[in-house]
Amino acid sequence: MTELRQDPTTRNWVIVAPERSLRPRDGAGNDARRASGGCPFCPGNESMTPPETWRLPAGDRGWRIRVVPNKFPVLTPTDRPERRGSPGFLAMGGHGHHEVVIESPSHAWDIATGDEAEVRDVLRALRSRYRALSHQSDIAVIVIFRNHGPGSGTSLAHPHSQIVAAPVVPPFVRRRFEVARRHFDDFGTCLYVEVVERELAEGHRVVMKGGSVVAFQPFAASAAFETWLMPSSHQASFGDADDEVLDELAAVLRTVLLGLCRAMDDPPYNLVIHSAPPGEEGCRYFNWHLQIVPRVSTPAGFELGTGVSVNPSHPESTAAILREAIASV
Amino acid sequence: MTELRQDPTTRNWVIVAPERSLRPRDGAGNDARRASGGCPFCPGNESMTPPETWRLPAGDRGWRIRVVPNKFPVLTPTDRPERRGSPGFLAMGGHGHHEVVIESPSHAWDIATGDEAEVRDVLRALRSRYRALSHQSDIAVIVIFRNHGPGSGTSLAHPHSQIVAAPVVPPFVRRRFEVARRHFDDFGTCLYVEVVERELAEGHRVVMKGGSVVAFQPFAASAAFETWLMPSSHQASFGDADDEVLDELAAVLRTVLLGLCRAMDDPPYNLVIHSAPPGEEGCRYFNWHLQIVPRVSTPAGFELGTGVSVNPSHPESTAAILREAIASV
């Protein structure tokens, strides 16, 4: 049982999830990357996770990818989404879904060093679950994310991504859509397509291009080596990406992460897939995209008080370093 | 030289500050808290900092508090605030002020364990600099913050607060004012005063009350033991706090931090003072307040993608623990 509570001063939501403090931790450090008998995501330990919602089978009763509900979910389908409480103390049950995509049976597998076909399968698994969850009732937004390495906030080292389907669109997410919608209303164009086109035209911050997928470090990158991967033509929802785009995305993602691994000595990072909310897939002003943020500095009071990040490097410089690292791969 | 760049997809600003990566670090761990010959904030090392902007003298040529420009500022007065670039690539010089308030000559001093009179002097120093900076040209917002302990993002252990005066109001800050202004337009009341009144009426989340200053853990606390300190009557700007309120604030702040120290074994934390922007001191819908956020969990991809925090505990429970820790002080 979790609860969503609204901060009356920002109208942002917080998830109160007391059971999360019970999560097992293996430290998620590099040392922990060796297969460990107690890893709930390793083959043979399938009974340690809740029952699968999806599987990519392999061989006789084996698997290449498993999707399971998170054992310590921030949101659960059985909690009810009705609002309760009085103005200023608005709350609702933590209704939603929180799934874990176990990306490989191998404890030491990683996107950066895996086969391209394996990365492709991971992206297809994510898309498959994205599509399934977007049809669930009372779901307003779906976010896919991946925490890699010590310092990234992950509690388990075994390679996995996560999907959260939530019953409200948080103001932070809504704002992106509002900015893009205003741009569309003013100029009649998709802001995200324009951003990609401008980045390609300027060139300094482009890391690589693979088919229709462009990797670049944004003009206002919030952290050193922050990198975005985006289709260059308009597509609002990650659920609508076709196989061809996902294949291109797999190739670019693998290469960019391998480049980051080389350039920064396998940094911890958070990866997020931003997508138009269910019901707004048809909107003409948003592009789904992947955001990779290496966790190399610690946000402090300034960031907490202002929401403004301090990037200790120019994205033009770090993009050049990343291009070089990729060229030498 | 730093630069402010606007993210075209959120209109939020990022500070690009390449020289920040040169900052000295002492680790800021507990071990580093012992006076160290190389600490730039210790007496005798005054020449290691830029020239003082303010001082609380003590004895013959000594000092109790020094305020100096940050040697590795995120913003500087000499950078020009004019916007440049084209739509989508909007930037401006990193104009502003970034000061460090060295709170004590003692390397091991802390607010939680210091004399109340010393805490009072720190708050008065902050108010004095807040007032001075609010009269500088091209300043749109002032944020005061304090990073305490390893993991808080601080680079130096010697007790200090920081003040940043910035030339733009970031969307994250503006949003609080918009929410409060809409409340004022709808109901004719100050949302923040109402929040305090409701917290006092409910009682579960109130930590303590000292004169007009109330300490409580907000209904939608974003982290375990997050605590706010706020005057119970309306006052928009921290610069307008009078001596009496600051004295009450000093007593409550010291007690709350000592309680946190006991209850959580001296946790790292970030402290922020939120205040109405210069020029809007007269607004009737905002209260200045202190926000203390212990850094006990690591935000990860979910928080990055949604702006939603996961609090692993109920503020009602942690407020009770904090009240108990304070009672035993």
Side-chain angles (χ1 to χ4, degrees):
Chain A
M1 295 289 287
T2 66
E3 187 179 48
L4 282 155
R5 293 185 174 195
Q6 192 184 48
D7 180 339
T9 66
T10 61
R11 305 218 167 171
N12 195 8
W13 296 89
V14 162
I15 297 175
V16 180
E19 283 156 30
R20 294 276 291 174
S21 53
L22 306 174
R23 278 185 299 169
R25 298 199 154 257
D26 65 10
N30 287 319
D31 290 342
R33 294 185 153 264
R34 63 182 180 278
S36 132
C39 173
F41 296 165
C42 275
N45 294 343
E46 285 82 358
S47 64
M48 293 174 73
T49 67
E52 279 170 23
T53 50
W54 192 92
R55 160 184 288 219
L56 179 63
D60 189 22
R61 294 173 48 193
W63 53 272
R64 276 185 43 206
I65 295 175
R66 292 178 78 218
V67 181
V68 297
N70 192 307
K71 200 168 178 177
F72 301 92
V74 295
L75 301 170
T76 48
T78 47
D79 277 338
R80 298 301 313 148
E82 284 75 29
R83 264 66 160 179
R84 55 183 181 241
S86 52
F89 295 127
L90 207 56
M92 60 193 288
H95 174 82
H97 302 264
H98 186 175
E99 295 192 337
V100 177
V101 178
I102 306 168
E103 298 168 342
S104 167
S106 162
H107 195 84
W109 186 83
D110 190 28
I111 292 180
T113 49
D115 286 346
E116 204 173 297
E118 292 171 330
V119 179
R120 200 179 292 166
D121 285 339
V122 169
L123 293 175
R124 289 185 188 195
L126 291 171
R127 181 186 59 185
S128 172
R129 293 312 300 160
Y130 185 97
R131 285 177 178 169
L133 292 173
S134 70
H135 295 122
Q136 298 289 316
S137 63
D138 300 311
I139 291 307
V141 75
I142 299 173
V143 60
I144 295 173
F145 57 97
R146 183 176 205 268
N147 305 320
H148 172 85
S152 73
T154 187
S155 50
L156 292 170
H158 193 115
H160 66 284
S161 301
Q162 296 180 70
I163 309 180
V164 171
V168 283
V169 180
F172 179 85
V173 173
R174 184 61 81 193
R175 180 168 176 88
R176 281 174 211 271
F177 294 105
E178 279 170 357
V179 168
R181 185 164 50 209
R182 179 165 298 186
H183 183 92
F184 181 79
D185 288 344
D186 286 351
F187 301 104
T189 53
C190 172
L191 172 63
Y192 288 80
V193 171
E194 284 194 12
V195 164
V196 176
E197 284 171 354
R198 283 181 193 148
E199 290 294 353
L200 286 170
E202 285 221 356
H204 322 307
R205 288 175 298 270
V206 174
V207 174
M208 68 178 289
K209 197 171 177 309
S212 63
V213 174
V214 181
F216 63 96
Q217 298 194 350
F219 173 70
S222 66
F225 286 91
E226 174 175 348
T227 306
W228 290 18
L229 278 59
M230 207 190 299
S232 57
S233 55
H234 171 70
Q235 182 160 67
S237 173
F238 178 68
D240 292 336
D242 63 19
D243 286 352
E244 191 183 338
V245 172
L246 278 202
D247 291 356
E248 292 164 350
L249 182 65
V252 173
L253 177 61
R254 185 181 170 283
T255 307
V256 164
L257 289 178
L258 185 55
L260 280 176
C261 187
R262 298 277 169 92
M264 301 179 78
D265 192 20
D266 193 17
Y269 63 78
N270 302 120
L271 183 159
V272 176
I273 302 183
H274 299 274
S275 177
E280 301 182 35
E281 293 89 350
C283 85
R284 293 192 258 172
Y285 49 79
F286 190 78
N287 263 28
W288 63 266
H289 57 284
L290 265 76
Q291 179 188 20
I292 302 163
V293 184
R295 292 286 292 265
V296 285
S297 58
T298 308
F302 178 68
E303 290 83 348
L304 179 70
T306 61
V308 171
S309 300
V310 179
N311 184 344
S313 51
H314 285 102
E316 294 76 14
S317 312
T318 51
I321 294 170
L322 187 50
R323 280 196 302 270
E324 209 168 298
I326 286 171
S328 72
V329 159
Chain B
M1 295 288 286
T2 66
E3 189 179 46
L4 282 155
R5 291 184 175 195
Q6 192 185 48
D7 180 339
T9 66
T10 60
R11 305 217 169 170
N12 195 7
W13 296 89
V14 161
I15 297 176
V16 181
E19 284 157 30
R20 293 276 292 174
S21 53
L22 307 173
R23 278 184 299 169
R25 296 197 157 259
D26 64 11
N30 287 320
D31 290 342
R33 293 186 153 261
R34 61 182 183 277
S36 133
C39 172
F41 297 164
C42 274
N45 294 344
E46 285 81 358
S47 64
M48 292 173 74
T49 67
E52 278 169 25
T53 49
W54 193 91
R55 159 184 290 219
L56 179 63
D60 190 24
R61 293 174 47 195
W63 53 273
R64 278 191 35 211
I65 295 175
R66 293 178 76 219
V67 182
V68 298
N70 192 307
K71 199 169 179 178
F72 301 93
V74 296
L75 301 170
T76 48
T78 48
D79 276 338
R80 297 301 312 148
E82 284 76 28
R83 264 66 159 177
R84 54 182 182 242
S86 52
F89 296 127
L90 207 58
M92 60 193 289
H95 174 82
H97 302 264
H98 186 175
E99 295 191 337
V100 177
V101 178
I102 306 168
E103 298 167 342
S104 168
S106 162
H107 195 83
W109 187 83
D110 190 27
I111 292 181
T113 48
D115 285 345
E116 204 174 296
E118 292 171 330
V119 179
R120 199 178 292 167
D121 285 338
V122 169
L123 292 175
R124 290 187 186 193
L126 291 171
R127 181 185 60 183
S128 172
R129 293 313 299 158
Y130 186 98
R131 286 177 176 168
L133 292 172
S134 70
H135 296 122
Q136 298 288 316
S137 61
D138 299 313
I139 292 307
V141 75
I142 300 173
V143 60
I144 295 174
F145 56 97
R146 183 175 206 268
N147 305 320
H148 171 85
S152 73
T154 187
S155 50
L156 292 170
H158 194 116
H160 66 285
S161 301
Q162 297 181 68
I163 309 180
V164 171
V168 285
V169 180
F172 179 85
V173 173
R174 184 62 80 192
R175 179 169 176 87
R176 281 174 211 270
F177 294 105
E178 279 169 358
V179 168
R181 185 163 50 210
R182 179 166 301 187
H183 183 93
F184 181 79
D185 288 344
D186 286 352
F187 301 103
T189 53
C190 173
L191 173 62
Y192 288 80
V193 172
E194 283 194 12
V195 164
V196 176
E197 284 170 356
R198 284 181 193 148
E199 291 294 353
L200 286 171
E202 285 223 356
H204 322 306
R205 288 175 298 270
V206 174
V207 174
M208 68 178 289
K209 197 169 178 308
S212 64
V213 174
V214 180
F216 63 96
Q217 297 194 350
F219 172 70
S222 66
F225 287 91
E226 175 175 347
T227 305
W228 290 18
L229 277 59
M230 207 189 302
S232 56
S233 55
H234 171 71
Q235 182 161 68
S237 173
F238 178 70
D240 291 335
D242 63 20
D243 286 351
E244 191 184 338
V245 172
L246 279 202
D247 291 356
E248 292 164 349
L249 182 65
V252 174
L253 177 61
R254 184 182 170 283
T255 307
V256 164
L257 289 178
L258 185 54
L260 280 175
C261 186
R262 298 276 170 92
M264 302 180 75
D265 192 19
D266 194 16
Y269 65 79
N270 302 120
L271 182 159
V272 176
I273 302 182
H274 299 274
S275 177
E280 301 181 35
E281 292 89 349
C283 85
R284 291 191 260 169
Y285 49 80
F286 190 78
N287 262 30
W288 63 266
H289 57 284
L290 265 75
Q291 178 189 20
I292 302 164
V293 183
R295 292 287 292 267
V296 284
S297 58
T298 308
F302 177 68
E303 289 83 348
L304 179 69
T306 60
V308 171
S309 300
V310 179
N311 185 344
S313 52
H314 286 101
E316 293 76 15
S317 312
T318 51
I321 295 171
L322 187 51
R323 279 196 303 269
E324 209 168 298
I326 286 172
S328 73
V329 158

